Amino acid sequence: MHPVTVSGSRPSVPAVGRPAPRLATDRVRALPRMPAARPPIRSRADTDTIALLHRTTLVMVDELPRLTDRIVALMKEREPAYRATCVDPHELWREVHDSLSNNVRSLLNPKEAREAARSVSWRIGADRAAQGFPLDALLHAYRIGCTVVWEHLLDTASRDDPHGARALVHVAADVWNFVDEHCTLVAEAYHEVGRQLAWHRENRYRIIVAALLDGTARVSDFPEAEAVLGLPEQGRYVVVALEGNDSSPRAPRPPEVRGGSRTVWHTREGSAHAIVLLAEGTSPADLVRELGVPPSGRAGVSPEVNGLAAVNTARRLADTALRACPGIGQAALLEDHYPAALVVSSPELSAALATRMLGPVLTLEPADRDVLLATLAVWLEADGSARRAGELLFCHRNTVLNRLRRYEQLSGRSLDRPRDVVELSLALSAHRLLNT
């Protein structure tokens, strides 16, 4: 027997006839369908008691405005949520009166007025959920209103007959069953709209994150992105690309990202991306060091970019870093893997370069081929030192030099020429990355 309207940027339920706000997260597409009424509980009161209830209720019809004033005053006195400045007093009074009048008429003519009264309670519960009004405050207000109505019935019944109030005790169960039905309706409508709003928020959240990552977000969308995601339009961002490697179609479980003041994940089948707002004083390299990559996954991290408008660029660079990642359970910062990133960015040209630089080696017997490829890779890692390469390969430096000369003989290249060394390095990266 009570409602509340919050003024300002109020979320709407279209069935109530109010305009919807821009954010889909604060909107319910339609008033959820009210469940069918359960069969009324058979009253145990006798005919005389029912007649007394009807007489006292008829008196109440003429006093609805005064009762509404009293209920509103008690709601504001006993429930802090109704004293908030965002509660429109005129709307509050109107809806209390609407609820009260429908419920009183339902007591008089339950068959004719029951559904109308139930609809009012259902609408109130849905509206309050859309506004984010506390459910416990709403149910408390209902109990306040029903207590006022019951006390008024008792006062009216005993006005002409001292024993009238005692007689009404026999219908107390009926009245409070009525109250319980309407409180249950309010709560069910509130929870149903809450579920709808949660779905809309989650869906809108995903849509906005996907738009930022895919580059379909417009500049006019950035304020909404900041409101929904908590990501400022201007900020230092990196994107983390994560890929699972367990043959599961599900997206990998996102790891904890340290070094970000705000992280927003977007998961797809088999992969995930995170938009990370870097904390002050944190670099992408710091983030990579602290990134907990799953043992069966790999990650790529983009360079730092400025602002939400550059997130799509960061996502593409993170994907490139992911493809250049050297191994399972590791994270690759693009800035540390530019040669490999060049290879994976142009696989056709890279494959052609690998064939040109390594073709004769790749035709050798597998054991011979693998030894020669490993020697070339380790020699490059050792900065061209045959001695250091020999230590890493557990062989003499002369063995390393013999293998290097054999490569030069097979390929016609000279490892004394910087250009040939650069091309060999890229070719080895291409062979490793494009054949895994």
Side-chain angles (χ1 to χ4, degrees), residues 259-302:
S261 61
R262 173 75 174 150
T263 300
V264 174
W265 281 97
H266 184 266
T267 58
R268 289 187 174 97
E269 189 174 290
S271 66
H273 290 85
I275 303 173
V276 183
L277 176 64
L278 289 174
E280 186 176 354
T282 300
S283 69
D286 296 329
L287 185 145
V288 170
R289 281 192 292 271
E290 297 292 333
L291 187 63
V293 181
S296 62
R298 299 183 304 156
V301 180
S302 75

Side-chain angles (χ1 to χ4, degrees), residues 118-196:
R118 293 178 77 250
S119 295
V120 170
S121 295
W122 183 259
R123 174 179 57 83
I124 289 171
D127 273 357
R128 298 315 144 252
Q131 295 167 353
F133 196 79
L135 178 59
D136 56 348
L138 181 59
L139 294 177
H140 185 203
Y142 253 89
R143 290 190 291 271
I144 290 171
C146 293
T147 300
V148 169
V149 169
W150 177 244
E151 290 175 350
H152 188 274
L153 288 173
L154 294 177
D155 290 343
T156 303
S158 59
R159 191 176 301 163
D160 299 323
D161 180 2
H163 302 290
R166 185 180 304 171
L168 277 185
V169 170
H170 296 291
V171 294
D174 298 337
V175 172
W176 291 105
N177 283 335
F178 176 89
V179 172
D180 182 66
E181 176 187 11
H182 283 260
C183 283
T184 300
L185 266 178
V186 167
E188 288 180 352
Y190 190 99
H191 290 310
E192 180 61 31
V193 169
R195 284 189 290 270
Q196 288 189 20

Side-chain angles (χ1 to χ4, degrees), residues 46-375:
D46 57 28
T47 304
D48 291 340
T49 304
I50 296 296
L52 175 61
L53 175 63
H54 287 177
R55 290 197 301 274
T56 54
T57 303
L58 276 172
V59 173
M60 192 184 302
V61 171
D62 296 328
E63 300 185 15
L64 287 178
R66 183 177 67 81
L67 286 174
T68 300
D69 290 340
R70 174 165 172 72
I71 292 171
V72 169
L74 287 173
M75 287 164 57
K76 292 181 177 180
E77 175 187 332
R78 299 178 183 176
E79 181 48 65
Y82 286 91
R83 296 197 295 270
T85 56
C86 58
V87 176
D88 186 326
H90 302 291
E91 285 289 319
L92 175 59
W93 193 96
R94 181 187 63 78
E95 291 193 0
V96 169
H97 185 272
D98 186 25
S99 175
L100 182 61
S101 61
N102 275 276
N103 287 321
V104 166
R105 288 182 173 84
S106 182
L107 290 175
L108 285 172
N109 301 293
K111 289 184 179 179
E112 292 80 4
R114 184 186 183 194
E115 282 305 303
R118 293 178 77 250
S119 295
V120 170
S121 295
W122 183 259
R123 174 179 57 83
I124 289 171
D127 273 357
R128 298 315 144 252
Q131 295 167 353
F133 196 79
L135 178 59
D136 56 348
L138 181 59
L139 294 177
H140 185 203
Y142 253 89
R143 290 190 291 271
I144 290 171
C146 293
T147 300
V148 169
V149 169
W150 177 244
E151 290 175 350
H152 188 274
L153 288 173
L154 294 177
D155 290 343
T156 303
S158 59
R159 191 176 301 163
D160 299 323
D161 180 2
H163 302 290
R166 185 180 304 171
L168 277 185
V169 170
H170 296 291
V171 294
D174 298 337
V175 172
W176 291 105
N177 283 335
F178 176 89
V179 172
D180 182 66
E181 176 187 11
H182 283 260
C183 283
T184 300
L185 266 178
V186 167
E188 288 180 352
Y190 190 99
H191 290 310
E192 180 61 31
V193 169
R195 284 189 290 270
Q196 288 189 20
L197 289 173
W199 183 89
H200 281 295
R201 290 189 187 101
E202 181 180 351
N203 189 52
R204 189 59 184 161
Y205 185 102
R206 289 182 58 83
I207 288 173
I208 294 173
V209 176
L212 291 172
L213 291 168
D214 295 342
T216 56
R218 299 164 298 182
V219 174
S220 58
D221 295 325
F222 294 160
E224 185 178 15
E226 182 167 356
V228 176
L229 307 179
L231 299 176
E233 181 175 349
Q234 299 301 323
R236 300 168 54 237
Y237 290 101
V238 298
V239 170
V240 177
L242 181 67
E243 181 179 71
N245 195 43
D246 55 2
S247 301
S248 172
R250 295 176 297 178
R253 183 177 181 180
E256 181 181 0
V257 178
R258 299 186 183 94
S261 61
R262 173 75 174 150
T263 300
V264 174
W265 281 97
H266 184 266
T267 58
R268 289 187 174 97
E269 189 174 290
S271 66
H273 290 85
I275 303 173
V276 183
L277 176 64
L278 289 174
E280 186 176 354
T282 300
S283 69
D286 296 329
L287 185 145
V288 170
R289 281 192 292 271
E290 297 292 333
L291 187 63
V293 181
S296 62
R298 299 183 304 156
V301 180
S302 75
E304 177 184 323
V305 297
N306 294 315
L308 293 179
V311 164
N312 169 247
T313 298
R315 192 270 304 166
R316 289 187 282 106
L317 294 175
D319 286 343
T320 301
L322 175 63
R323 294 196 302 272
C325 186
I328 301 302
Q330 298 183 39
L333 178 62
L334 184 65
E335 296 168 352
D336 295 335
H337 297 273
Y338 279 136
L342 289 172
V343 167
V344 297
S345 296
S346 184
E348 295 84 1
L349 288 176
S350 299
L353 178 62
T355 300
R356 177 184 176 189
M357 298 297 295
L358 300 174
V361 177
L362 299 177
T363 61
L364 298 174
E365 291 295 323
D368 200 12
R369 174 199 64 202
D370 293 343
V371 167
L372 198 49
L373 289 175
T375 300

